[in-house]
Amino acid sequence: MTTQTIEPPRSAAAARRTTNWEKWGWIYMRGSGVLLVVLIFGHLFVNMVAGEGVKQIDFAFVAGKWASPFWQVWDSLMLVLALIHGSNGMRTIVNDYVSKPGIRKTLLVAILIACVVLIVLGLLVCWTFDPCPAGAAAADLPSFCPAQ
């Protein structure tokens, strides 16, 4: 009885030399998923259960919440993790179901652009939010803003 040795595929040597992005994407999905569960349930508890519940959510509630750097970081982290988590999931679906390389690349670039644009816009809103902007007309300001 002779023993035959099967040569490893050429891609195995290349995989050892480069970063395994699929593995890191898989690890990210598990880690971000656990962290997102904590962040989302904390967010829901503060916004929906604590205090007066849903009745308390208005412009003043958001302004008061985002006056604290803690909540800005909380909401920013939730935004970034959720968008990257969702985009990575969409990337996986596109890679699994789109067989034509040109269409696959176009869809992946579109997902990346959408993710980056939404993260930038969301972080801009979260970190530059000012309920009482200087120079605004008094009639346009909420009632809790000091007279200017």
Side-chain angles (χ1 to χ4, degrees):
M1 183 168 184
T2 46
T3 315
Q4 289 183 333
T5 304
I6 299 174
E7 294 294 321
R10 288 184 305 251
S11 60
R16 280 194 298 271
R17 287 179 293 198
T18 62
T19 303
N20 187 345
W21 292 110
E22 289 300 321
K23 177 183 84 170
W24 288 109
W26 185 89
I27 290 170
Y28 174 81
M29 292 298 274
R30 273 56 190 174
S32 68
V34 170
L35 191 53
L36 277 168
V37 166
V38 172
L39 291 170
I40 290 168
F41 278 112
H43 175 83
L44 290 174
F45 178 78
V46 167
N47 291 338
M48 306 289 185
V49 178
E52 298 175 31
V54 139
K55 292 185 291 185
Q56 72 185 349
I57 299 176
D58 59 5
F59 186 81
F61 176 78
V62 174
K65 194 173 162 193
W66 279 355
S68 164
F70 174 80
W71 288 113
Q72 285 180 313
V73 170
W74 184 286
D75 288 345
S76 296
L77 190 58
M78 190 168 52
L79 170 85
V80 170
L81 287 175
L83 281 169
I84 295 173
H85 186 95
S87 297
N88 192 32
M90 290 300 298
R91 179 193 63 82
T92 302
I93 291 169
V94 167
N95 283 337
D96 285 349
Y97 291 106
V98 179
S99 57
K100 294 184 179 177
I103 295 174
R104 181 172 46 245
K105 185 167 184 151
T106 301
L107 290 173
L108 293 175
V109 168
I111 290 168
L112 177 65
I113 290 170
C115 181
V116 169
V117 166
L118 289 172
I119 286 174
V120 168
L121 290 176
L123 290 176
L124 277 172
V125 168
C126 190
W127 288 96
T128 63
F129 181 75
D130 183 8
C132 305
D140 295 337
L141 293 174
S143 60
F144 57 82
C145 288
Q148 296 186 14

